[in-house]
């Protein structure tokens, strides 16, 4: 019983293990260089880049403060805006941009399935063949007689 109580208290307090220390390279890969090269801070190959070098220094400073990777990325996002992140976030309009292709793919698949089912099912049911009915008038009777005589 005490073990369960201790586990419950530990779970309510949060994980006993801390988020691992952020990797410098992972942080560099998570940020886009602002010099216009379109690469991440880690991949920027400009010598004495006016953007990558200060960003690397700022990453080191944030890591020295003992911040987690999420906190460091949030700091850069607040400072430079969302454009600094190398991957778009999954909130706000970006959530729609991430999910819209999958929703459209599912809708398109549904339309294809429904169309194929309709085509496969065929058209409206056909009427059974008509059996000759008894002649309703004198002209019909006369026509039947003449057709029988003609066939004979």
């Amino acid at each position: 019983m005490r073990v369960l109580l201790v586990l419950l208290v530990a779970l309510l307090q949060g994980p006993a293990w801390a988020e691992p220390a952020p990797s410098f390279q992972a942080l560099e890969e998570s940020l886009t260089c602002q010099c216009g090269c379109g690469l991440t801070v880690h991949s920027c190959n400009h010598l004495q880049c006016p953007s990558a070098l200060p960003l690397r220094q700022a990453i080191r400073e944030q890591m020295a403060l003992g911040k987690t990777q999420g906190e460091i990325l949030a700091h850069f996002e607040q400072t430079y805006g969302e454009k600094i992140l190398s991957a778009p976030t999954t909130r706000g309009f970006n959530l729609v941009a991430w999910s819209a292709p999958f929703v459209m793919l599912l809708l398109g698949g549904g339309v294809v399935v429904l169309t194929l089912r309709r085509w496969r099912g065929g058209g409206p049911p056909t009427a059974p063949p008509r059996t000759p009915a008894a002649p309703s008038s004198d002209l019909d009777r006369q026509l039947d007689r003449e057709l029988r005589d003609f066939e004979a």
Side-chain angles (χ1 to χ4, degrees):
M1 184 67 173
R2 285 186 181 184
V3 173
L4 289 175
L5 188 60
V6 168
L7 286 174
L8 181 63
V9 169
L11 287 173
L12 291 175
Q13 288 181 352
W17 59 92
E19 186 177 316
S23 157
F24 181 74
Q25 182 176 344
L27 287 167
E28 282 184 314
E29 289 289 342
S30 298
L31 299 175
T32 303
C33 186
Q34 301 299 299
C35 72
C37 66
L39 301 172
T40 63
V41 173
H42 179 75
S43 301
C44 183
N45 54 8
H46 294 123
L47 296 175
Q48 302 301 319
C49 178
S51 176
L53 295 177
L55 286 172
R56 287 181 183 133
Q57 182 59 35
I59 292 171
R60 286 187 185 92
E61 291 170 1
Q62 293 293 313
M63 289 177 71
L65 295 174
K67 293 185 177 181
T68 64
Q69 183 168 347
E71 292 171 336
I72 294 173
L73 292 176
H75 166 76
F76 281 105
E77 186 179 4
Q78 283 180 337
T79 306
Y80 295 95
E82 194 174 332
K83 67 180 182 175
I84 190 117
L85 301 177
S86 62
T89 60
T90 55
R91 57 183 190 264
F93 177 75
N94 289 338
L95 183 60
V96 173
W98 277 101
S99 60
F102 300 107
V103 169
M104 291 308 206
L105 185 64
L106 287 174
L107 289 174
V111 167
V112 167
V113 167
L114 289 175
T115 303
L116 289 176
R117 282 188 182 170
R118 283 188 184 161
W119 285 351
R120 216 169 150 202
T126 57
R130 284 182 30 179
T131 57
S136 60
S137 70
D138 291 333
L139 289 175
D140 287 336
R141 275 185 246 135
Q142 182 182 356
L143 179 63
D144 284 341
R145 263 192 318 251
E146 288 180 10
L147 284 174
R148 270 183 271 144
D149 292 341
F150 180 74
E151 290 175 0

